[in-house]
Amino acid sequence: MTDVQRVDPAHPDADVIARAAECLRAGGLVAFPTETVYGLGAHALDRAAILRVFAAKERPANDPLIVHVATLDAAEALVEDIPRVARELAARFWPGPLTMVLRRSARVPDEVTAGLATVAIRVPSHPVARALLERARIPVAAPSANLFSRPSPTRAAHVLADLNGRIDMIVDGGATNVGLESTVIDLAGGLPTILRPGAIDLDALRRLVPDVVSRRATAPQTAAMTSPGMLPKHYSPKTPLVLYEGDRETALAEMTRDARRRAGRGDSIVVLSYTEDAGELSNLGVRIVELAAEENPAAVAARLYAALRECDELGASAILVRSVTTSHPLTSAIQDRLRRAAAP
Ligand code: TXA
Ligand code: MG
C-alpha cells in the first residue's frame, strides 16, 4: 500500500517532509506536487531507485528523467559546466517550470539519462517540492507520476489511480498550479532548442536567448531526435481523441457535424468543451466534459489532464475536442499536448 500524506501546499508539515526526504534518501519512491504536475521522485544517484521508477511507471528505459535540485549550485556537480546562457535563464526563471538540458558529468548514472551525454535539470518552485529537496539534500530524479503514456497527474488522486501499491509514498499537496509539464530547452551545445513547450514560452526565452528555436511536436522523427519522450504520442488518454484545429467557427462547425454523424450511428462519444461552447453543444445529445473558458488559457492548462482522465472514465469510443485559438503564452503548450493526445 502506498502511504498518502496530505499537507498544506503553502506550508507543508515538517514531519511529513522529513519522512518523505528520508524515504528518498533510502532509495524509496515518493510522489510529490510541483508547480507543473506531480513528480515521481527517486534518489538520482541511486541506480536501483532509478530502475524502480522505470518499473513503477512501465516507462521504457530509453526515455531519460529530469533531475530536480533545490538550487543552481546543487546542479554544478551534475553537469560538465553551466554555460552563461543557462545561468541567465536560471536567474530569471528558477525556481520555476523550466528544464535545461546540459552536458552531464560522470556522477549522473546512465539509467537517469538513458545513456545520453546530457542531463535535464530543473529547480521547481512549488513549496512542497522545495521543502522536500532542501530537506533531502540529494538530487531527485522525477518523471511525471503517471503510468507511461497516460496523462500526467495534476492531483494526488491521479497518482494513486496509476501507481497505488507501486510506490512508497504520495505527498498530497492538492491540485498543481500550471497543469502542464515544464518547458524543456536544450542548451547542450547546438542551437538552443525548445524540446517541449510549457508555461515559459518562446517569446519569454527569446528575450534572454535570441537564437532559440522550437521543435514542432508533430515534426517527423529524425536521427537528430535525441529524446524518445518527445515522441508525438505521449500525453494520451486511453480513448481515441479527435482534434479539430483552426479558427473557432470552422473547428466548432466541423466538430459539431462529426459529433452528430457519430451519435447518429450509435457511437458513444464525449465532447471536451470550452465553457463558451457548452451551450451550443448541449443540444447534440452527447456527453460533455467541460474544460474551462477558452479565454482563460491558464485555467484550460490547469484542468486539461484532469478533464482527459474524466473523459476516459466515461468509456466512450472517442473524445472530440477543438484546439485553443486564444493568443497567450500557454497556447502552444496546450496545442502541443492536444496534438500529442490526438496522435495515432
Ligand atoms: O514539469 C515537469 O517537467 C515534470 C515535473 C515532475 O518536474 N516532469 C516531467 O518529467 O514531465 P517527464 O519524465 O514526464 O518528462 C521529461 C521529459 C521527457 O520528454 C524526456 O524525454 C525529456 O524530458 N528529457 C529528459 N532528459 C533529457 C535529455 N537529457 N535530453 C533531452 N530530453 C530529455
Ligand atoms: Mg511524463
Side-chain angles (χ1 to χ4, degrees):
M1 275 297 285
T2 298
D3 175 22
V4 184
Q5 293 290 331
R6 173 92 217 184
V7 295
D8 178 337
H11 305 283
D13 184 89
D15 290 341
V16 174
I17 294 298
R19 252 164 55 214
E22 244 349 281
C23 183
L24 285 172
R25 291 179 63 87
L29 303 188
V30 178
F32 60 94
T34 79
E35 68 278 22
T36 58
V37 300
Y38 273 75
L40 176 58
H43 192 324
L45 307 180
D46 178 338
R47 287 170 201 273
I50 298 304
L51 291 178
R52 256 179 252 131
V53 169
F54 282 92
K57 279 181 59 86
E58 299 176 20
R59 177 171 171 128
N62 63 356
D63 192 358
L65 308 181
I66 296 173
V67 179
H68 298 66
V69 287
T71 61
L72 178 63
D73 284 349
E76 299 268 6
L78 306 173
V79 300
E80 205 169 86
D81 69 319
I82 300 180
R84 195 167 56 113
V85 61
R87 289 188 192 280
E88 288 170 2
L89 287 173
R92 172 74 184 80
F93 296 113
W94 278 357
L98 179 69
T99 296
M100 299 194 224
V101 172
L102 301 170
R103 280 195 301 275
R104 70 163 175 150
S105 77
R107 287 195 70 195
V108 184
D110 282 341
E111 287 78 0
V112 171
T113 67
L116 295 175
T118 56
V119 61
I121 313 256
R122 172 161 117 80
V123 176
S125 65
H126 194 292
V128 172
R130 297 191 64 172
L132 192 53
L133 290 168
E134 277 161 19
R135 178 77 197 215
R137 286 178 286 107
I138 51 169
V140 173
S144 50
N146 51 291
L147 281 174
F148 179 69
S149 94
R150 302 275 355 259
S152 289
T154 53
R155 298 173 166 276
H158 302 158
V159 181
L160 206 58
D162 282 12
L163 302 176
N164 192 14
R166 297 174 175 226
I167 65 177
D168 298 297
M169 187 172 174
I170 301 173
V171 183
D172 177 358
T176 61
N177 173 28
V178 178
L180 302 178
E181 306 83 349
S182 61
T183 305
V184 179
I185 183 170
D186 185 347
L187 299 170
L191 199 57
T193 306
I194 298 175
L195 301 179
R196 179 174 72 184
I200 298 179
D201 73 334
L202 182 64
D203 287 344
L205 291 169
R206 236 181 221 147
R207 271 170 233 137
L208 290 177
V209 194
D211 56 343
V212 66
V213 295
S214 71
R215 191 171 67 186
R216 275 185 57 88
T218 51
Q221 313 287 297
T222 67
M225 196 144 220
T226 48
S227 170
M230 305 300 169
L231 290 172
K233 183 81 182 167
H234 190 60
Y235 302 91
S236 38
K238 292 177 200 148
T239 318
L241 182 141
V242 189
L243 179 63
Y244 302 84
E245 301 206 61
D247 66 275
R248 176 179 189 261
E249 244 136 82
T250 314
L252 189 58
E254 200 192 327
M255 184 172 75
T256 304
R257 260 199 314 278
D258 206 11
R260 270 213 190 86
R261 190 173 53 78
R262 287 170 185 257
R265 64 172 191 230
D267 288 359
S268 86
I269 57 161
V270 51
V271 176
L272 186 52
S273 162
Y274 301 103
T275 312
E276 296 93 330
D277 298 350
E280 225 168 297
L281 294 168
S282 64
N283 48 30
L284 281 175
V286 302
R287 284 171 298 181
I288 291 176
V289 167
E290 218 172 282
L291 202 40
E294 187 184 11
E295 61 176 26
N296 186 354
V300 173
R303 214 183 108 62
L304 180 62
Y305 288 144
L308 286 176
R309 283 177 182 258
E310 283 170 31
C311 288
D312 254 352
E313 276 154 27
L314 296 175
S317 62
I319 302 166
L320 276 47
V321 60
R322 152 177 104 69
S323 201
V324 275
T325 55
T326 331
S327 170
H328 184 275
L330 278 163
T331 304
S332 57
I334 297 169
Q335 287 174 341
D336 169 77
R337 301 313 189 275
L338 286 172
R339 283 186 193 136
R340 289 171 194 268

